[in-house]
Amino acid sequence: MLNSSIMQILKYTNECVVSKIKCKTGDIVMSLHNVFPGIQLIYNHAVMTESENILIENVRGENILQIDHCCDGRVECSCKDKFFYLSKGDICIHRKDMVENNFYFPSGSYRGISLLIDVNAAPKCLSCFLEDVNVEPKLLLEKFCKGGELFVCRSNSQLEHIFHELYNIPQEVQKGYYKIKVLEILLFLSCLREEMREEKLCSFSQVAMAKEVCRYLTVHMDERITIEDLSRIFHVSQTVLKNSFKMVYGTSVYGFIRRQKMENAASMLKTTDKTVLEIANLHGYENGSKFASAFRDIMGSSPVEYRQNNQLC
C-alpha cells in the first residue's frame, strides 16, 4: 500500500478508515469514508513539504474519477511530464491513473478532500438515491477526462458554496450529510461549463528552477536579493523567473521573501532572547520601524506584542 513511509491506522470500520502516514518531511492524516457503493470521500490533512508515493488500495485505474478540492494550503500534482497546482478554493477533476502519487506542498501544509468514484462499481445513474439527481458517473468521466485530460477550475463563489460545508459537519449527522453533499457536488459538476477549465500547466524545467530559487532564498535570508540578482544567478529572464515562481508558490518572489523572513523572525522571537533590532538585522532590515511594519502586515501584531504572547524560552 505504501512505499518509503510509515502508516498507522487510527480508526477502522466498514464505513471509515483513518490513517496517519509519516514521511521524511512530515505527516499526513487521511480519513476515508465509504459514502455509496463505489464512491469514497477522503479528507486529507498534510503538514509536510513532500509525500512519498502514497497509494490507496483498490482506488486506481482509468475507471476511477477523482475530484480534488483544496480548503487550505497549496499542493503540487504531476500529470505526465507537466505539473499543476491547487490553492484555496480550487478543484481538479481527473482520472485516478493520470496523476502521480507523489505530492509536493509548497506552503508546507495542505487541507482538502478527494472524492473518488469507481465508474464500474458505482450505480449507473445516481437517480436511484434521489429521483431528480439524474447524473451518470460514466458521463462525468467522459465529460471531464476525455483523452486523458484533466479539468482545473479556480476558486469562485459557486465552488465555495458547494464545498465549504464539507469541512464543518457535526459528527452525529456525518453519515447522512456525506450522502447529501456528494449528490449535490455531482449534480453541480454535471452542469459545470467547459469554459471554466484552466489549462495552466508547468514544465519540469520551470518547476525545478522555481524550487532552486526557493532554496537559494532560504539560505540567503539575511541578504537583500532582487529579481535582477536572481535572473543573473540562474541565467534566466526576469519574466520567466517571476512567472515560474508564482505558478509554483502562488505568490510573487518578493511576497515569498517577505513572508518567509517574517515567519522565521517570529520563530526567533519565540525561541531566542535576541533583541527585536538584532532579529531585524538578521533578516536584512537595518531600520527597526520598517521591520516592525512588515512584521505586523504578515503576522498581525508588532514584534514586541508577538513575543509577549508567544515566547517559549
Side-chain angles (χ1 to χ4, degrees):
M1 186 174 188
L2 204 61
N3 293 329
S4 304
S5 305
I6 300 173
M7 171 180 282
Q8 178 185 5
I9 302 297
L10 304 179
K11 179 181 179 181
Y12 189 95
T13 68
N14 290 334
E15 296 175 348
C16 176
V17 179
V18 181
S19 307
K20 184 176 184 179
I21 302 165
K22 298 182 72 67
C23 299
K24 291 179 181 178
T25 65
D27 302 335
I28 179 169
V29 175
M30 304 174 70
S31 177
L32 185 153
H33 302 267
N34 293 308
V35 181
F36 294 118
I39 301 178
Q40 297 175 323
L41 180 66
I42 304 173
Y43 286 82
N44 306 292
H45 187 193
V47 181
M48 60 170 66
T49 54
E50 194 166 3
S51 69
E52 301 158 358
N53 198 28
I54 294 176
L55 298 176
I56 304 170
E57 284 192 45
N58 302 322
V59 287
R60 64 192 76 175
E62 63 181 23
N63 292 312
I64 305 294
L65 178 67
Q66 180 164 334
I67 300 109
D68 296 315
H69 176 264
C70 174
C71 177
D72 287 302
R74 188 169 176 83
V75 60
E76 170 194 283
C77 308
S78 58
C79 177
K80 299 179 181 178
D81 59 344
K82 300 287 185 180
F83 297 82
F84 66 93
Y85 297 83
L86 299 182
S87 291
K88 183 175 182 178
D90 298 343
I91 65 167
C92 179
I93 307 171
H94 58 87
R95 264 181 19 206
K96 178 67 179 174
D97 65 329
M98 293 304 299
V99 174
E100 299 295 329
N101 293 300
N102 296 310
F103 302 95
Y104 175 69
F105 305 97
S107 62
S109 65
Y110 171 79
R111 189 163 67 101
I113 62 168
S114 297
L115 181 60
L116 281 75
I117 304 171
D118 184 336
V119 171
N120 292 334
K124 181 180 178 181
C125 181
L126 298 178
S127 61
C128 63
F129 298 117
L130 190 60
E131 183 178 353
D132 292 324
V133 183
N134 189 26
V135 178
E136 298 183 31
K138 183 178 179 180
L139 295 182
L140 288 179
L141 185 67
E142 293 173 357
K143 174 182 178 178
F144 293 108
C145 308
K146 186 177 180 179
E149 296 180 343
L150 55 86
F151 185 104
V152 176
C153 183
R154 298 304 174 189
S155 177
N156 59 59
S157 58
Q158 288 181 309
L159 294 179
E160 171 67 15
H161 174 73
I162 292 294
F163 283 93
H164 86 279
E165 292 174 341
L166 274 169
Y167 298 95
N168 298 285
I169 302 175
Q171 188 170 1
E172 59 270 23
V173 297
Q174 280 182 350
K175 184 177 177 180
Y177 209 93
Y178 289 148
K179 295 179 186 295
I180 293 170
K181 288 303 295 184
V182 166
L183 292 175
E184 181 185 14
I185 288 169
L186 297 181
L187 184 60
F188 170 78
L189 294 181
S190 70
C191 59
L192 195 62
R193 301 188 307 275
E194 173 65 25
E195 55 265 32
M196 297 184 74
R197 181 192 298 264
E198 181 177 304
E199 296 291 356
K200 281 189 178 180
L201 299 178
C202 293
S203 67
F204 177 83
S205 60
Q206 287 176 302
V207 172
M209 186 266 294
K211 291 179 181 178
E212 282 296 318
V213 170
C214 177
R215 282 190 283 269
Y216 183 88
L217 294 173
T218 301
V219 172
H220 297 85
M221 196 179 299
D222 59 336
E223 301 177 20
R224 293 182 178 178
I225 302 171
T226 67
I227 298 294
E228 292 81 1
D229 294 332
L230 295 171
S231 176
R232 184 178 63 257
I233 293 167
F234 291 94
H235 309 289
V236 66
S237 74
Q238 294 180 38
T239 299
V240 169
L241 188 147
K242 288 189 292 186
N243 290 344
S244 298
F245 193 91
K246 188 163 187 178
M247 288 180 77
V248 173
Y249 291 96
T251 185
S252 68
V253 173
Y254 288 132
F256 177 86
I257 292 172
R258 195 163 182 251
R259 174 166 288 278
Q260 186 184 51
K261 286 184 175 183
M262 295 307 107
E263 289 179 348
N264 192 69
S267 178
M268 294 182 73
L269 287 167
K270 287 196 294 185
T271 60
T272 75
D273 58 1
K274 294 181 183 295
T275 68
V276 171
L277 187 56
E278 286 175 326
I279 293 174
N281 293 159
L282 288 171
H283 293 86
Y285 286 82
E286 297 177 0
N287 186 305
S289 63
K290 288 185 177 180
F291 170 74
S293 177
F295 189 91
R296 183 182 290 276
D297 286 346
I298 299 298
M299 306 306 298
S301 65
S302 73
V304 172
E305 292 169 339
Y306 187 88
R307 168 167 274 174
Q308 289 173 344
N309 294 328
N310 298 279
Q311 193 165 27
L312 300 177
C313 65

